[in-house]
Amino acid sequence: MVDNSEFDDIPGTTVFTAERSHEGFHLNQFCMSLKDPKNRERFKSDEKSYLDRWPMTAGQKQAVLDRDYNSMIAQGGNVYFLSKIFSSDGVSFQTAAASMTGMSVDEYAQMMLDGGRSPEGLRSIRDGR
Amino acid sequence: MARITAGLTTSHVPAIGVAWDQGQQNSEYWAPVFGGYEWTKKWIADEDPDVIILVYNDHASAFSLEMIPTFAIGCADEFAIADEGWGPRPVPTVVGAPELACHLAQSLILDEFDMTVINKMDVDHGLTVPLSLMYGSPDVWPARVIPLAVNVVQYPPPTGERCFKLGQAIRRAVAAFDQDLNVQVWGTGGMSHQLQGTRAGLINKEFDGQILDNMTLDVAAIRAISHLQYLRESGSEGIEMVMWLIMRGALGDDAEELHRHYHVPASNTAVGHLVLRPTA
């Protein structure tokens, strides 16, 4: 058996495995549809109706409506696909990333200017390193 | 005969493309990012490669989750610029090199690398940001481009070792192509970055520095880095650096470093850039 259990030992990180790709297939395909400007307009004019055209779970749809990217990722979303949502919203990758960390946009931007988040203590939950 | 004369690596952060397109080259934030490419712009104008084999990854632009090719090679006459959610970048259409690309596709498959062949594809920032960084804003791109797309979105991506060996096979195939062509190989993506979860924003300058050093000093050390090590040390998106090894494999056993640039940050990412010349 393929053993992906080590991936779960990395703090604050969700690795997009084939299983997660399967779980998130329709969520990510919805995101992909936003490449088309006509679909972006349809989505923006009535988000809920547009989402109902996709066989996503209720939880996945709610996460999209809430723009809760951590929740989308927990339900099989992949950040490159999810980027179509925040790009459609006119939101930058840095702002979207900040929203996943619990930091304010300004705090996150300053952290990056200061050299980014140190890997110290964030490599392994088990080993605390 | 065709020959690989040089290779380079560069990050391909989408925000770099946005900044370039909005004319922010001289802003306080972006000047240090773009400044590190000035040397390369002059160098590449002198080198004037005919064809660039441009190794990159698609970011949910050409490939949905319906099909996920590990290695795919673009054999089309041209490649349109993708709409990634905010309209296509205002850059020239990418012109292909179908004769060499078809030769490569066939040679690589017969050399036991089972490539996916692409005859129609839009290309996204992963491919166009490197072109903007090296060439600026020309009316047409000065070189023809063979896109070589690598899956680094869904795990597992190919291993670094596999990528290096693909590069070696590319070197053999280019050398067997019966046209006098000056070919460069570009490996793009990286360096350390994480775009998701509470660990977003991770940067590891020490790890990045080792990669930059070992591209010429100890390639075997880079070839041995596992997916798990990339994840732990360089963030969930740092795995893109396996694509640098395709470039490095294509340069042969030894290479010298002509130019280096490293800067933090560009948006969420550590920008790394090397220009290498094969010496063996």
Side-chain angles (χ1 to χ4, degrees):
Chain A
M1 278 290 287
V2 170
D3 179 8
N4 289 331
S5 60
E6 283 290 302
F7 292 158
D8 297 330
D9 179 51
I10 304 170
T13 303
T14 305
V15 179
F16 192 64
T17 58
E19 291 81 4
R20 291 209 168 92
S21 177
H22 177 76
E23 179 189 2
F25 179 72
H26 295 294
L27 167 59
N28 291 312
Q29 291 297 101
F30 145 71
C31 294
M32 193 82 184
S33 77
L34 300 178
K35 285 196 320 168
D36 183 335
K38 290 196 287 288
N39 287 335
R40 294 201 285 272
E41 285 310 310
R42 290 184 187 113
F43 175 58
K44 285 177 189 172
S45 67
D46 187 345
E47 294 195 2
K48 199 164 179 312
S49 301
Y50 189 77
L51 287 170
D52 282 338
R53 293 161 55 173
W54 300 86
M56 294 157 58
T57 66
Q60 288 171 331
K61 290 179 192 173
Q62 192 58 49
V64 174
L65 292 170
D66 295 342
R67 300 297 192 270
D68 184 338
Y69 289 100
N70 283 333
S71 176
M72 289 183 240
I73 288 169
Q75 300 178 77
N78 172 273
V79 73
Y80 289 127
F81 288 84
L82 303 181
S83 73
K84 310 302 180 204
I85 301 175
F86 57 75
S87 294
S88 299
D89 289 338
V91 168
S92 75
F93 225 125
Q94 189 173 78
T95 298
S99 81
M100 298 181 226
T101 64
M103 302 170 77
S104 74
V105 174
D106 288 344
E107 284 170 343
Y108 183 88
Q110 190 60 50
M111 175 184 76
M112 295 313 300
L113 284 169
D114 293 340
R117 185 186 303 283
S118 166
E120 290 307 319
L122 295 178
R123 295 180 174 92
S124 165
I125 297 168
R126 187 185 54 232
D127 300 337
R129 66 184 178 95
Chain B
M1 302 301 260
R3 63 211 181 279
I4 293 172
T5 56
L8 63 79
T9 67
T10 182
S11 308
H12 58 219
V13 183
I16 293 177
V18 174
W20 183 270
D21 298 340
Q22 294 178 348
Q24 298 177 36
Q25 287 83 342
N26 297 317
S27 71
E28 187 183 352
Y29 188 94
W30 289 106
V33 174
F34 291 114
Y37 291 89
E38 287 301 315
W39 184 93
T40 312
K41 280 184 178 166
K42 295 188 187 80
W43 170 82
I44 206 162
D46 291 338
E47 294 284 314
D48 195 21
D50 300 302
V51 179
I52 296 158
I53 299 170
L54 206 159
V55 182
Y56 77 112
N57 65 288
D58 178 79
H59 305 76
S61 300
F63 304 123
S64 73
L65 293 179
E66 291 182 5
M67 284 170 262
I68 303 156
T70 296
F71 294 121
I73 184 166
C75 297
D77 290 323
E78 59 180 36
F79 303 91
I81 308 303
D83 182 338
E84 301 181 55
W86 64 89
R89 288 191 65 211
V91 296
T93 296
V94 173
V95 176
E99 280 186 50
L100 176 56
C102 291
H103 164 80
L104 281 175
Q106 295 170 87
S107 300
L108 293 171
I109 291 168
L110 293 173
D111 207 0
E112 305 189 339
F113 289 87
D114 305 318
M115 309 297 291
T116 297
V117 175
I118 305 170
N119 286 312
K120 182 174 177 9
M121 178 172 71
D122 293 354
V123 290
D124 70 14
H125 70 267
L127 186 132
T128 62
V129 164
L131 289 171
S132 296
L133 285 169
M134 307 317 154
Y135 286 122
S137 303
D139 292 333
V140 295
W141 296 118
R144 292 179 286 151
V145 175
I146 298 175
L148 200 161
V150 180
N151 165 48
V152 293
V153 172
Q154 179 171 316
Y155 270 74
T159 63
E161 179 66 14
R162 182 70 173 159
C163 288
F164 185 84
K165 288 177 175 168
L166 174 62
Q168 291 178 311
I170 289 170
R171 182 171 183 80
R172 290 190 288 270
V174 168
F177 187 64
D178 192 16
Q179 276 186 30
D180 182 28
L181 291 176
N182 176 356
V183 179
Q184 289 189 0
V185 183
W186 296 7
T188 74
M191 297 191 81
S192 57
H193 64 305
Q194 174 148 338
L195 303 174
Q196 50 122 338
T198 55
R199 205 173 73 138
L202 185 135
I203 299 286
N204 190 337
K205 291 181 182 175
E206 188 181 348
F207 182 85
D208 291 344
Q210 288 168 357
I211 296 272
L212 291 167
D213 288 344
N214 286 336
M215 276 283 157
T216 50
L217 298 178
D218 187 2
V219 182
I222 308 179
R223 291 165 65 177
I225 298 172
S226 68
H227 290 148
L228 195 60
Q229 283 174 287
Y230 279 111
L231 283 163
R232 291 197 198 281
E233 298 292 338
S234 67
S236 50
E237 278 65 53
I239 189 69
E240 289 178 348
M241 285 184 274
V242 296
M243 296 187 289
W244 291 24
L245 282 168
I246 296 176
M247 178 284 298
R248 185 59 190 83
L251 296 188
D253 288 343
D254 294 309
E256 62 174 329
E257 179 181 318
L258 303 182
H259 177 65
R260 177 192 295 213
H261 172 45
Y262 184 76
H263 177 78
V264 178
S267 185
N268 304 289
T269 304
V271 171
H273 168 50
L274 286 175
V275 179
L276 304 179
R277 176 90 74 196
T279 54

